[in-house]
Amino acid sequence: MVSADVRTRDRDRYLSVLYAPAAVRPALMALHGLDLELGQVVAGTSDAMIGQIRLAWWREALAALDSAPPPAQPLLQLVAAEVLPRGLAGAALAGLEDRWVGLIDSDEVPAAHIEGGGDLFGWAAQLLGGDVALGRRLGLAWATGEPFVGSVPTPLRPLLGLVRLATRDAARARSGQPQEPRGSTGRQLRLLAAIAFGR
């Protein structure tokens, strides 16, 4: 089940989705699940070429959703059922491969990885019925851990919560502190504050 995978891989993202309207939660789970799956391909490969081949498979499979039924793969089936009917194209989602392929066998974070974070949050903003450009700005802040300054309307506050946690993580890394467990009580409270108060 895709939501269980998201919960296991990134409890912060899972919890943020629970604050979104119920009707859009499956689509958001699919979107986060896709990004986490591609990240797992990179994290789980010790051979650069095999990792690239696996990512290429996902790119082709996502692009094919625009013209053919999904294969018997739960994540792709959820994307086809919940995300595409809301106006996002498989060909666009296929671009998430660019966010991850540059991390294979590299110690540097490429610009495409950060830009892909902007794309991911822009799509999430579209699913939430919010400002896509604002969603992209939030995604860039999330991908870099930089503070986000500005007001965020209620529909996009689940995304703001993730930005606040990313900023918190970046600050801890700079000061040499260990990272907190995903979904810990302190992180849940920070996420809730961002969603409730927009800060």
Side-chain angles (χ1 to χ4, degrees):
M1 188 175 183
V2 173
S3 61
D5 287 342
V6 173
R7 180 175 182 171
T8 299
R9 290 175 174 174
D10 192 330
R11 190 166 172 80
D12 292 339
R13 293 208 225 181
Y14 172 81
L15 292 171
S16 77
V17 171
L18 298 185
Y19 287 106
V24 77
R25 286 176 201 161
L28 289 170
M29 285 292 182
L31 195 61
H32 286 300
L34 177 59
D35 187 57
L36 291 166
E37 180 67 28
L38 298 183
Q40 184 60 39
V41 169
V42 174
T45 188
S46 57
D47 185 302
M49 183 168 290
I50 291 175
Q52 290 165 359
I53 290 170
R54 288 175 177 165
L55 288 177
W57 182 88
W58 278 100
R59 176 186 280 275
E60 293 170 5
L62 286 164
L65 294 179
D66 291 333
S67 57
Q73 203 286 338
L75 181 51
L76 290 173
Q77 291 180 337
L78 188 61
V79 169
E82 298 289 344
V83 179
L84 300 192
R86 297 177 183 275
L88 289 173
L93 297 174
L96 271 181
E97 184 211 16
D98 294 333
R99 169 167 154 76
W100 290 103
V101 70
L103 289 179
I104 293 178
D105 203 23
S106 173
D107 295 327
E108 301 293 327
V109 177
H113 185 72
I114 295 169
E115 287 294 324
D119 291 337
L120 182 71
F121 274 42
W123 295 327
Q126 181 175 333
L127 294 175
L128 289 163
D131 184 335
V132 173
L134 176 56
R136 286 202 87 259
R137 287 176 51 214
L138 288 165
L140 294 173
W142 170 73
T144 59
E146 294 296 323
F148 177 85
V149 178
S151 61
V152 176
T154 301
L156 298 190
R157 287 182 184 173
L159 303 181
L160 176 65
L162 293 176
V163 173
R164 296 299 186 233
L165 292 178
T167 304
R168 180 180 175 128
D169 290 341
R172 291 179 71 90
R174 285 193 299 270
S175 64
Q177 298 180 66
Q179 292 301 319
E180 303 166 309
R182 298 280 173 156
S184 65
T185 301
R187 295 177 76 82
Q188 289 187 51
L189 291 173
R190 187 67 192 91
L191 181 66
L192 179 59
I195 291 167
F197 306 113
R199 63 172 189 261

